[in-house]
Amino acid sequence: MKKFIFIIMIILLAVEFRDHPTLKPYMDKIVGSVKTEAKRTAGVSELPALIKDLEYLEGSLALHEMKFIKQNLTSFKKVQSFFDQYCHGIELSHTALTSYAIKKTCGVLEKHLPTT
């Protein structure tokens, strides 16, 4: 019971002082993480954020692989079908993407797709 009251007290103090300059960066990170996880769990599509994260792979993937990814992952439906087809280990060989590119792409997609 003491632990429960202690946790409630910590939460109340955090809410009370959330705008304090010392705590603000930490509270912003926590709130951002909770919002992102809630959107991901609810299945809210954030296609621009997904495309931005995929563009970070440009340095580690070949030019033709990035071109394939940009052409084929333009909608949330296409992203979901790509994830179902290539990221669940059903089909690991593909003519345009290496297994390294598939693993990297699937890692990014996993963060943005809702959990099922």
Side-chain angles (χ1 to χ4, degrees):
M1 187 67 178
K2 288 182 182 181
K3 289 181 182 179
F4 179 71
I5 292 173
F6 183 70
I7 291 172
I8 297 296
M9 292 285 291
I10 295 293
I11 292 172
L12 288 174
L13 285 172
V15 169
E16 183 66 31
F17 296 109
R18 69 180 177 267
D19 292 333
H20 192 274
T22 307
L23 297 178
K24 188 155 179 60
Y26 302 109
M27 290 301 292
D28 290 344
K29 281 184 184 178
I30 292 170
V31 169
S33 309
V34 169
K35 284 182 181 179
T36 302
E37 186 63 27
K39 286 181 182 179
R40 188 177 76 82
T41 305
V44 175
S45 170
E46 289 188 10
L47 195 60
L50 172 63
I51 292 171
K52 183 179 176 187
D53 283 353
L54 285 172
E55 287 175 354
Y56 285 125
L57 296 177
E58 263 183 293
S60 61
L61 301 181
L63 185 62
H64 71 278
E65 292 172 333
M66 278 309 296
K67 184 177 177 183
F68 177 82
I69 290 170
K70 286 180 181 180
Q71 287 175 347
N72 292 307
L73 300 181
T74 55
S75 71
F76 199 66
K77 254 186 189 176
K78 288 182 178 182
V79 169
Q80 185 68 49
S81 68
F82 180 92
F83 187 79
D84 291 339
Q85 188 174 8
Y86 297 110
C87 297
H88 288 296
I90 297 169
E91 187 177 328
L92 288 178
S93 63
H94 191 274
T95 57
L97 297 176
T98 61
S99 62
Y100 174 78
I102 291 174
K103 287 178 188 176
K104 286 290 203 181
T105 306
C106 290
V108 172
L109 297 180
E110 195 172 309
K111 291 189 279 185
H112 291 277
L113 291 176
T115 55
T116 54

